[in-house]
Amino acid sequence: MSLRLYNSRTRALEDFAPLEGNRVRIYMCGLTPSADPHLGHARSMLFFDVLRRYLEFLGYAVTYVQNVTDIDDKIIRRAADEGVAWYEVVEKYYGSFVASLERLGVRRPDVEPRATEHVPKIVEIIRGLEQKGIAYESDDGVYYSVRAWPKYGQLSGRHIDELLESVRIDASERKRDPLDFALWKKQKPGEPAWESPWGPGRPGWHIECSAMSWEYLGEPFDIHGGGLDLIFPHHENEVAQTEPLLAGKPMANFWVHTGLLFFDGSKMSKSLGNFVPLDEELRRHDPRALRTLFLQIDYRKQANFTVDSISAATKGLQRLGETLAELARRGGVERIDGPGALDALRSPSPAVEGMARAFREALDADMNTAGALAVLFGWLAAARTLEGDQAAQAARALYGALWILGVAPAGDRLAAPRVEATLDAARAAALRSLCERLCGYANSGGVREWVEAILDLRRQARQERNWRRSDELRDALAGAGIVVKDSKEGSTWTVVD
RNA sequence: GGCGACAUAGCCAAGUGGUAAGGCAGAGCUCUGCAAAAGCUCCAUCGUCGGUUCGACUCCGACUGUCGCCUCCA
């Protein structure tokens, strides 16, 4: 029983094993921060976050590198448009990206290297290619000679002659072959530049990933990831730049590509402009629900995002959380965060053995997260019958599973209903005056106190079996955005969105 | 034009050569003063047409449809 992953390099499902000992080295193509990131970016990062967690669960020591391509044509253009420096553009959009990923529970990479900080390594690689006769200098830059590398096109399944038919020839570029691409771009007036043997300039797109993966992971490394749209030309060119210097070894053992995300039927992309910025999307929806939604879709498939699909994920996740809370309560288990939750899943007790095995089998099968989630849901009914120590084991194992998927409930959900007010100012004010009217006063405590004060009145009414009064109070609260639910243990309430 | 992916119930969506996971919605029931929540139960024969096979949703072919890459893109 082991992890099998689809390898784009070989176009086959393969058993995964590290190249070296227990260490798994992953390089993920991150962002070129020239515009607001969107949900599609999040999808890729989310998947690799789960892959990373699962590899850790399996006992591997994972090194995860995700680059920032912090200089390119679009960043320069954007800076000009906004009248700011190129690095301010980078800080703005990358900062927003990082903040959004944090909300999504995506762990920070071990290293987030930037292209502009790795010019020496970039130069070194270009030098090496020059020596092999694969790179050449021209008036405006240093180019990669596509025809000098026989394997060009292998990764993405292209043929040079076919590519040639549809290539767009940019007359401004001085290259020998239309398919050649820039390794180094010589400085033009007003552009930022770094020193190099070819004079001031900047790295071309692609070379930064060759340089930084090599720098931090060594060559070859285990897994190279990215969105499917990067396979050509980006990944193809990375391979072409790196492998001539590796004496026949592949740059990365596994290439893992995530499917693209669509919004109302067409691809989300910066150039099409048909997307909602990620940070805005995260204000509208529960980040964990977004995670769940993506986990319910095969990572390699195209996925169409619609607003409706998110509510289904939200509800399902809630049920999972409710059962977990119940198991934790019965078993007397505190919230377990992080890798500490994994032991119960690694060596499961009899009560959770079946679930643990099925859960792993699903993830072993090319990270079938949808299947893994289905295992959890399917197990819920059986789990609810557990008591005492068995409930404790079940709770721990479920914590572990949810940690791998990154959708473990927030701690406060388990302890008590969410009471911290997320009410907007208008509704909070309405609530305050409601409290004043009903109770004759409103202390300065805030939403929580006001709701509790009103609920006290209602409890009284219920004790007196004054159902009419009770319902009036419930309706009044509902009018202010507070939903009350009664159970045998008492009333709970939540703020409605 | 070249290359490729996908097509499963109202929606989202796993999966396998031997008679279809799961989530949401919907229906019934339990609980409840009522409501909500929660729980239990029910709810598809897998785009079309051929072929291979004892047997196909799963393999092959054709067709139709949707989408992607070939240009910046997770």
Side-chain angles (χ1 to χ4, degrees):
Chain A
M1 169 89 7
S2 67
L3 173 61
R4 288 168 70 75
L5 279 179
Y6 182 80
N7 189 350
S8 321
R9 186 169 68 84
T10 58
R11 287 161 223 268
L13 206 54
E14 295 179 4
D15 287 324
F16 175 78
L19 291 170
E20 195 186 288
N22 196 40
R23 186 174 167 224
V24 176
R25 293 165 289 167
I26 304 178
Y27 185 89
M28 170 70 175
C29 276
L31 198 69
T32 300
S34 64
D36 280 313
H38 55 68
L39 220 43
H41 297 106
R43 184 191 183 192
S44 299
M45 307 305 161
L46 226 51
F47 172 72
F48 275 88
D49 183 56
V50 176
L51 176 62
R52 182 185 181 190
R53 288 165 186 255
Y54 189 57
L55 287 167
E56 288 176 8
F57 165 74
L58 293 176
Y60 297 117
V62 178
T63 305
Y64 185 81
V65 178
Q66 187 178 93
N67 71 287
V68 188
T69 299
D70 63 344
I71 191 72
D72 87 326
D73 293 346
K74 276 184 296 180
I75 291 173
I76 291 171
R77 207 178 312 134
R78 191 82 180 200
D81 290 348
E82 295 186 7
V84 298
W86 63 273
Y87 48 84
E88 291 177 279
V89 171
V90 170
E91 287 324 304
K92 177 179 167 187
Y93 294 114
Y94 192 63
S96 152
F97 182 59
V98 166
S100 293
L101 290 185
E102 190 184 340
R103 291 206 59 203
L104 280 164
V106 174
R107 291 154 68 210
R108 280 303 272 268
D110 296 306
V111 191
E112 294 167 83
R114 297 181 178 220
T116 59
E117 290 166 7
H118 295 80
V119 171
K121 185 69 183 176
I122 287 168
V123 167
E124 185 190 319
I125 292 176
I126 299 176
R127 282 292 217 192
L129 292 170
E130 276 185 330
Q131 278 158 22
K132 296 243 172 207
I134 294 175
Y136 60 90
E137 183 177 3
S138 82
D139 293 349
D140 63 344
V142 180
Y143 287 94
Y144 185 96
S145 176
V146 163
R147 291 188 188 275
W149 170 243
K151 290 184 179 171
Y152 190 81
Q154 206 170 68
L155 177 71
S156 60
R158 319 275 151 145
H159 300 285
I160 290 184
D161 296 322
E162 285 170 2
L163 285 168
L164 203 52
E165 290 172 19
S166 55
V167 79
R168 188 167 64 186
I169 297 168
D170 188 341
S172 69
E173 289 176 309
R174 308 282 163 70
K175 44 193 185 184
R176 294 178 190 162
D177 190 291
L179 293 173
D180 291 350
F181 57 92
L183 295 165
W184 186 262
K185 295 183 172 191
K186 292 183 181 173
Q187 183 178 28
K188 294 187 182 120
E191 286 185 354
W194 288 260
E195 281 310 318
S196 84
W198 313 279
R202 59 188 164 92
W205 185 43
H206 316 307
I207 191 69
E208 81 284 13
C209 286
S210 292
M212 296 189 286
S213 58
W214 200 328
E215 179 90 31
Y216 292 97
L217 298 174
E219 289 290 354
F221 56 91
D222 294 292
I223 300 174
H224 191 131
L228 195 61
D229 53 350
L230 290 179
I231 196 165
F232 188 89
H234 186 55
H235 290 336
E236 188 67 57
N237 291 354
E238 278 185 50
V239 167
Q241 289 159 345
T242 308
E243 295 193 358
L245 307 176
L246 294 184
K249 283 184 241 168
M251 175 186 186
N253 193 202
F254 277 77
W255 283 81
V256 175
H257 290 100
T258 57
L260 300 183
L261 187 66
F262 294 73
F263 189 78
D264 282 343
S266 63
K267 181 181 157 186
M268 273 195 199
S269 104
K270 291 180 199 173
S271 53
L272 293 176
N274 67 329
F275 69 92
V276 180
L278 184 54
D279 57 349
E280 194 180 325
E281 208 68 78
L282 287 169
R283 280 196 290 275
R284 291 184 193 171
H285 308 291
D286 179 351
R288 282 168 43 253
L290 283 168
R291 255 191 107 105
T292 308
L293 178 64
F294 288 132
L295 292 175
Q296 283 178 314
I297 306 169
D298 182 337
Y299 79 90
R300 289 198 281 137
K301 270 193 183 164
Q302 296 179 4
N304 191 25
F305 177 80
T306 62
V307 177
D308 291 340
S309 52
I310 197 74
S311 72
T314 308
K315 298 224 172 116
L317 189 62
Q318 266 167 13
R319 271 182 55 217
L320 219 46
E322 307 270 2
T323 301
L324 176 56
E326 178 61 21
L327 286 170
R329 193 186 62 74
R330 284 190 209 167
V333 173
E334 295 290 314
R335 172 183 170 74
I336 317 167
D337 207 359
L342 298 177
D343 289 337
L345 197 63
R346 282 204 187 98
S347 38
S349 63
V352 292
E353 211 175 354
M355 179 275 269
R357 191 178 54 242
F359 184 78
R360 290 182 62 153
E361 277 171 3
L363 292 180
D364 277 343
D366 196 27
M367 297 298 291
N368 183 353
T369 52
L373 223 34
V375 167
L376 261 29
F377 278 110
W379 171 74
L380 246 36
R384 279 187 206 101
T385 65
L386 302 174
E387 299 282 351
D389 193 49
Q390 290 200 323
Q393 297 294 338
R396 290 199 188 94
L398 191 50
Y399 268 121
L402 294 181
W403 182 82
I404 291 170
L405 300 177
V407 293
D412 54 337
R413 266 194 74 81
L414 296 175
R418 261 189 123 77
V419 289
E420 73 277 23
T422 50
L423 277 187
D424 54 69
R427 288 195 298 177
L431 195 65
R432 186 191 174 106
S433 62
L434 182 69
C435 182
E436 269 171 353
R437 199 171 75 239
L438 294 169
C439 311
Y441 70 94
N443 62 36
S444 57
V447 170
R448 179 181 187 151
E449 279 71 16
W450 302 332
V451 173
E452 289 300 336
I454 297 167
L455 277 183
D456 275 342
L457 292 178
R458 182 161 176 273
R459 266 189 280 275
Q460 226 168 39
R462 281 163 61 81
Q463 239 166 30
E464 293 159 8
R465 306 184 70 81
N466 186 348
W467 307 124
R468 190 169 159 184
R469 172 74 172 157
S470 166
D471 290 347
E472 275 171 13
L473 291 170
R474 185 169 66 201
D475 293 343
L477 283 168
I482 305 293
V483 177
V484 178
K485 297 167 188 172
D486 301 319
S487 71
K488 291 171 209 99
E489 285 86 38
S491 303
T492 61
W493 57 277
T494 49
V495 176
V496 100
D497 293 321

Short mmCIF file of all heavy atoms in Angstrom, two decimals, chain A residues 389-433:
data_model
loop_
_atom_site.label_atom_id
_atom_site.label_comp_id
_atom_site.label_asym_id
_atom_site.label_seq_id
_atom_site.Cartn_x
_atom_site.Cartn_y
_atom_site.Cartn_z
N ASP A 389 -14.06 5.63 25.50
CA ASP A 389 -12.73 5.57 24.93
C ASP A 389 -12.77 5.42 23.41
O ASP A 389 -11.95 5.97 22.70
CB ASP A 389 -11.96 4.40 25.55
CG ASP A 389 -10.48 4.49 25.22
OD1 ASP A 389 -9.91 5.59 25.40
OD2 ASP A 389 -9.92 3.49 24.77
N GLN A 390 -13.75 4.67 22.95
CA GLN A 390 -13.86 4.50 21.50
C GLN A 390 -14.19 5.82 20.81
O GLN A 390 -13.68 6.12 19.74
CB GLN A 390 -14.95 3.47 21.19
CG GLN A 390 -14.55 2.06 21.57
CD GLN A 390 -15.37 1.03 20.84
OE1 GLN A 390 -16.57 1.23 20.63
NE2 GLN A 390 -14.74 -0.05 20.42
N ALA A 391 -15.03 6.59 21.46
CA ALA A 391 -15.36 7.91 20.92
C ALA A 391 -14.11 8.78 20.90
O ALA A 391 -13.88 9.54 19.95
CB ALA A 391 -16.46 8.56 21.76
N ALA A 392 -13.31 8.65 21.93
CA ALA A 392 -12.08 9.43 22.00
C ALA A 392 -11.15 9.07 20.84
O ALA A 392 -10.59 9.94 20.17
CB ALA A 392 -11.38 9.19 23.33
N GLN A 393 -11.00 7.76 20.61
CA GLN A 393 -10.15 7.31 19.50
C GLN A 393 -10.69 7.83 18.17
O GLN A 393 -9.93 8.26 17.30
CB GLN A 393 -10.11 5.78 19.45
CG GLN A 393 -9.50 5.13 20.67
CD GLN A 393 -8.03 5.46 20.80
OE1 GLN A 393 -7.38 5.82 19.82
NE2 GLN A 393 -7.51 5.39 22.00
N ALA A 394 -11.99 7.76 18.04
CA ALA A 394 -12.62 8.21 16.79
C ALA A 394 -12.41 9.70 16.60
O ALA A 394 -12.09 10.16 15.50
CB ALA A 394 -14.11 7.88 16.81
N ALA A 395 -12.56 10.45 17.67
CA ALA A 395 -12.37 11.89 17.58
C ALA A 395 -10.95 12.21 17.16
O ALA A 395 -10.71 13.04 16.28
CB ALA A 395 -12.70 12.56 18.91
N ARG A 396 -10.00 11.53 17.77
CA ARG A 396 -8.59 11.79 17.44
C ARG A 396 -8.30 11.46 15.99
O ARG A 396 -7.63 12.21 15.28
CB ARG A 396 -7.68 10.97 18.35
CG ARG A 396 -7.68 11.44 19.78
CD ARG A 396 -6.48 10.94 20.55
NE ARG A 396 -6.64 11.26 21.97
CZ ARG A 396 -7.16 10.43 22.87
NH1 ARG A 396 -7.54 9.22 22.51
NH2 ARG A 396 -7.30 10.80 24.13
N ALA A 397 -8.81 10.32 15.56
CA ALA A 397 -8.56 9.92 14.17
C ALA A 397 -9.20 10.91 13.19
O ALA A 397 -8.62 11.25 12.16
CB ALA A 397 -9.09 8.51 13.92
N LEU A 398 -10.38 11.37 13.56
CA LEU A 398 -11.06 12.32 12.68
C LEU A 398 -10.33 13.65 12.65
O LEU A 398 -10.21 14.29 11.60
CB LEU A 398 -12.51 12.50 13.16
CG LEU A 398 -13.46 13.25 12.22
CD1 LEU A 398 -13.42 12.69 10.81
CD2 LEU A 398 -14.89 13.18 12.76
N TYR A 399 -9.81 14.03 13.78
CA TYR A 399 -8.97 15.24 13.79
C TYR A 399 -7.80 15.06 12.83
O TYR A 399 -7.44 15.97 12.09
CB TYR A 399 -8.41 15.49 15.19
CG TYR A 399 -9.25 16.39 16.05
CD1 TYR A 399 -9.75 15.96 17.26
CD2 TYR A 399 -9.52 17.69 15.64
CE1 TYR A 399 -10.52 16.78 18.06
CE2 TYR A 399 -10.29 18.53 16.43
CZ TYR A 399 -10.79 18.07 17.63
OH TYR A 399 -11.54 18.89 18.40
N GLY A 400 -7.21 13.90 12.87
CA GLY A 400 -6.07 13.63 12.00
C GLY A 400 -6.46 13.72 10.54
O GLY A 400 -5.77 14.36 9.74
N ALA A 401 -7.56 13.08 10.21
CA ALA A 401 -8.01 13.09 8.81
C ALA A 401 -8.32 14.51 8.35
O ALA A 401 -7.95 14.93 7.25
CB ALA A 401 -9.24 12.20 8.66
N LEU A 402 -8.98 15.24 9.22
CA LEU A 402 -9.34 16.60 8.84
C LEU A 402 -8.12 17.52 8.79
O LEU A 402 -8.09 18.49 8.05
CB LEU A 402 -10.39 17.16 9.81
CG LEU A 402 -11.75 16.46 9.75
CD1 LEU A 402 -12.73 17.09 10.73
CD2 LEU A 402 -12.33 16.49 8.34
N TRP A 403 -7.12 17.17 9.56
CA TRP A 403 -5.89 17.96 9.49
C TRP A 403 -5.23 17.76 8.12
O TRP A 403 -4.77 18.71 7.50
CB TRP A 403 -4.91 17.59 10.60
CG TRP A 403 -3.68 18.46 10.52
CD1 TRP A 403 -3.56 19.72 11.02
CD2 TRP A 403 -2.45 18.16 9.86
NE1 TRP A 403 -2.31 20.23 10.71
CE2 TRP A 403 -1.61 19.30 10.00
CE3 TRP A 403 -1.96 17.05 9.17
CZ2 TRP A 403 -0.32 19.36 9.47
CZ3 TRP A 403 -0.68 17.10 8.64
CH2 TRP A 403 0.13 18.25 8.79
N ILE A 404 -5.20 16.53 7.68
CA ILE A 404 -4.59 16.26 6.37
C ILE A 404 -5.33 17.04 5.28
O ILE A 404 -4.73 17.63 4.40
CB ILE A 404 -4.61 14.75 6.05
CG1 ILE A 404 -3.65 14.01 6.98
CG2 ILE A 404 -4.24 14.51 4.58
CD1 ILE A 404 -3.78 12.51 6.92
N LEU A 405 -6.64 17.04 5.38
CA LEU A 405 -7.41 17.75 4.37
C LEU A 405 -7.42 19.25 4.63
O LEU A 405 -7.80 20.03 3.76
CB LEU A 405 -8.85 17.22 4.35
CG LEU A 405 -8.99 15.73 4.02
CD1 LEU A 405 -10.44 15.30 4.10
CD2 LEU A 405 -8.42 15.42 2.64
N GLY A 406 -7.01 19.62 5.82
CA GLY A 406 -6.94 21.05 6.13
C GLY A 406 -8.29 21.68 6.41
O GLY A 406 -8.46 22.87 6.25
N VAL A 407 -9.27 20.88 6.81
CA VAL A 407 -10.58 21.44 7.08
C VAL A 407 -11.03 21.18 8.52
O VAL A 407 -12.22 21.14 8.81
CB VAL A 407 -11.66 20.92 6.10
CG1 VAL A 407 -11.38 21.45 4.71
CG2 VAL A 407 -11.72 19.40 6.09
N ALA A 408 -10.08 21.00 9.41
CA ALA A 408 -10.43 20.83 10.81
C ALA A 408 -11.17 22.07 11.28
O ALA A 408 -10.82 23.17 10.91
CB ALA A 408 -9.18 20.61 11.64
N PRO A 409 -12.22 21.85 12.07
CA PRO A 409 -12.99 23.00 12.52
C PRO A 409 -12.16 23.90 13.43
O PRO A 409 -11.25 23.44 14.11
CB PRO A 409 -14.15 22.38 13.29
CG PRO A 409 -13.83 20.97 13.47
CD PRO A 409 -12.70 20.58 12.60
N ALA A 410 -12.51 25.16 13.42
CA ALA A 410 -11.84 26.10 14.31
C ALA A 410 -12.18 25.73 15.76
O ALA A 410 -13.25 25.20 16.02
CB ALA A 410 -12.28 27.51 14.00
N GLY A 411 -11.29 26.01 16.66
CA GLY A 411 -11.46 25.60 18.05
C GLY A 411 -12.74 26.10 18.69
O GLY A 411 -13.40 25.37 19.41
N ASP A 412 -13.09 27.32 18.40
CA ASP A 412 -14.25 27.90 19.07
C ASP A 412 -15.54 27.21 18.70
O ASP A 412 -16.50 27.21 19.43
CB ASP A 412 -14.34 29.40 18.76
CG ASP A 412 -14.35 29.68 17.29
OD1 ASP A 412 -13.85 28.82 16.53
OD2 ASP A 412 -14.84 30.72 16.88
N ARG A 413 -15.57 26.59 17.53
CA ARG A 413 -16.77 25.87 17.11
C ARG A 413 -17.06 24.70 18.02
O ARG A 413 -18.19 24.30 18.19
CB ARG A 413 -16.59 25.33 15.70
CG ARG A 413 -17.12 26.22 14.63
CD ARG A 413 -17.20 25.44 13.35
NE ARG A 413 -18.29 24.49 13.37
CZ ARG A 413 -19.55 24.80 13.13
NH1 ARG A 413 -19.87 26.02 12.86
NH2 ARG A 413 -20.49 23.89 13.16
N LEU A 414 -15.99 24.14 18.56
CA LEU A 414 -16.17 22.95 19.37
C LEU A 414 -16.60 23.30 20.78
O LEU A 414 -17.39 22.62 21.39
CB LEU A 414 -14.86 22.16 19.42
CG LEU A 414 -14.43 21.63 18.09
CD1 LEU A 414 -13.07 20.97 18.21
CD2 LEU A 414 -15.45 20.63 17.58
N ALA A 415 -16.07 24.38 21.29
CA ALA A 415 -16.34 24.74 22.67
C ALA A 415 -17.75 25.27 22.83
O ALA A 415 -18.49 24.87 23.70
CB ALA A 415 -15.34 25.79 23.13
N ALA A 416 -18.13 26.15 21.99
CA ALA A 416 -19.42 26.83 22.14
C ALA A 416 -19.85 27.35 20.79
O ALA A 416 -19.05 27.44 19.87
CB ALA A 416 -19.26 27.98 23.12
N PRO A 417 -21.11 27.70 20.67
CA PRO A 417 -21.52 28.32 19.42
C PRO A 417 -20.70 29.58 19.19
O PRO A 417 -20.28 30.23 20.13
CB PRO A 417 -22.98 28.67 19.66
CG PRO A 417 -23.37 28.06 20.93
CD PRO A 417 -22.17 27.59 21.63
N ARG A 418 -20.52 29.86 17.94
CA ARG A 418 -19.76 31.07 17.60
C ARG A 418 -20.46 32.28 18.16
O ARG A 418 -21.55 32.62 17.77
CB ARG A 418 -19.77 31.23 16.09
CG ARG A 418 -18.53 30.75 15.43
CD ARG A 418 -18.59 31.16 13.97
NE ARG A 418 -17.43 31.96 13.63
CZ ARG A 418 -16.24 31.45 13.42
NH1 ARG A 418 -16.06 30.17 13.57
NH2 ARG A 418 -15.24 32.21 13.07
N VAL A 419 -19.84 32.93 19.09
CA VAL A 419 -20.50 34.07 19.70
C VAL A 419 -19.85 35.39 19.32
O VAL A 419 -20.45 36.44 19.47
CB VAL A 419 -20.54 33.95 21.23
CG1 VAL A 419 -21.51 32.87 21.63
CG2 VAL A 419 -19.17 33.67 21.79
N GLU A 420 -18.63 35.32 18.86
CA GLU A 420 -18.02 36.61 18.54
C GLU A 420 -18.82 37.22 17.41
O GLU A 420 -19.14 36.59 16.41
CB GLU A 420 -16.53 36.47 18.18
CG GLU A 420 -16.23 35.87 16.86
CD GLU A 420 -16.26 34.35 16.93
OE1 GLU A 420 -16.92 33.78 17.83
OE2 GLU A 420 -15.64 33.75 16.08
N ALA A 421 -19.19 38.44 17.61
CA ALA A 421 -20.16 39.06 16.72
C ALA A 421 -19.56 39.33 15.36
O ALA A 421 -18.50 39.91 15.23
CB ALA A 421 -20.63 40.36 17.33
N THR A 422 -20.26 38.85 14.35
CA THR A 422 -19.85 39.19 13.00
C THR A 422 -20.95 40.06 12.38
O THR A 422 -21.02 40.23 11.19
CB THR A 422 -19.66 37.92 12.15
OG1 THR A 422 -20.82 37.12 12.31
CG2 THR A 422 -18.45 37.16 12.62
N LEU A 423 -21.77 40.58 13.26
CA LEU A 423 -22.84 41.44 12.79
C LEU A 423 -22.28 42.76 12.28
O LEU A 423 -21.34 43.29 12.85
CB LEU A 423 -23.80 41.76 13.95
CG LEU A 423 -24.87 40.74 14.29
CD1 LEU A 423 -25.78 41.33 15.35
CD2 LEU A 423 -25.66 40.35 13.06
N ASP A 424 -22.90 43.29 11.25
CA ASP A 424 -22.49 44.61 10.80
C ASP A 424 -23.05 45.66 11.77
O ASP A 424 -23.89 45.37 12.62
CB ASP A 424 -22.97 44.87 9.37
CG ASP A 424 -24.46 44.67 9.25
OD1 ASP A 424 -25.21 45.47 9.81
OD2 ASP A 424 -24.86 43.68 8.59
N ALA A 425 -22.56 46.87 11.64
CA ALA A 425 -22.90 47.91 12.60
C ALA A 425 -24.40 48.17 12.68
O ALA A 425 -24.96 48.33 13.77
CB ALA A 425 -22.17 49.21 12.23
N ALA A 426 -25.06 48.15 11.53
CA ALA A 426 -26.49 48.48 11.51
C ALA A 426 -27.28 47.43 12.30
O ALA A 426 -28.14 47.79 13.12
CB ALA A 426 -26.98 48.53 10.06
N ARG A 427 -26.96 46.17 12.08
CA ARG A 427 -27.73 45.13 12.78
C ARG A 427 -27.36 45.09 14.26
O ARG A 427 -28.20 44.77 15.11
CB ARG A 427 -27.50 43.78 12.11
CG ARG A 427 -28.21 43.69 10.75
CD ARG A 427 -28.31 42.29 10.26
NE ARG A 427 -26.98 41.70 10.05
CZ ARG A 427 -26.80 40.44 9.68
NH1 ARG A 427 -27.82 39.64 9.49
NH2 ARG A 427 -25.58 39.97 9.51
N ALA A 428 -26.11 45.39 14.57
CA ALA A 428 -25.71 45.44 15.96
C ALA A 428 -26.49 46.53 16.69
O ALA A 428 -26.96 46.34 17.82
CB ALA A 428 -24.21 45.69 16.07
N ALA A 429 -26.65 47.67 16.03
CA ALA A 429 -27.40 48.78 16.63
C ALA A 429 -28.85 48.38 16.82
O ALA A 429 -29.47 48.66 17.86
CB ALA A 429 -27.30 50.01 15.74
N ALA A 430 -29.40 47.69 15.85
CA ALA A 430 -30.79 47.23 15.94
C ALA A 430 -30.94 46.28 17.12
O ALA A 430 -31.92 46.34 17.87
CB ALA A 430 -31.18 46.53 14.64
N LEU A 431 -29.96 45.44 17.30
CA LEU A 431 -29.99 44.48 18.39
C LEU A 431 -29.94 45.19 19.74
O LEU A 431 -30.63 44.84 20.68
CB LEU A 431 -28.80 43.53 18.24
CG LEU A 431 -28.87 42.25 19.08
CD1 LEU A 431 -30.04 41.40 18.61
CD2 LEU A 431 -27.57 41.49 18.94
N ARG A 432 -29.11 46.22 19.77
CA ARG A 432 -28.96 46.97 21.01
C ARG A 432 -30.29 47.62 21.41
O ARG A 432 -30.72 47.54 22.55
CB ARG A 432 -27.89 48.05 20.83
CG ARG A 432 -27.61 48.76 22.13
CD ARG A 432 -26.76 50.01 21.93
NE ARG A 432 -26.66 50.70 23.20
CZ ARG A 432 -25.57 50.71 23.95
NH1 ARG A 432 -24.48 50.12 23.52
NH2 ARG A 432 -25.57 51.33 25.12
N SER A 433 -30.93 48.23 20.44
CA SER A 433 -32.20 48.90 20.79
C SER A 433 -33.26 47.86 21.12
O SER A 433 -34.13 48.10 21.97
CB SER A 433 -32.64 49.82 19.65
OG SER A 433 -32.87 49.08 18.49
#
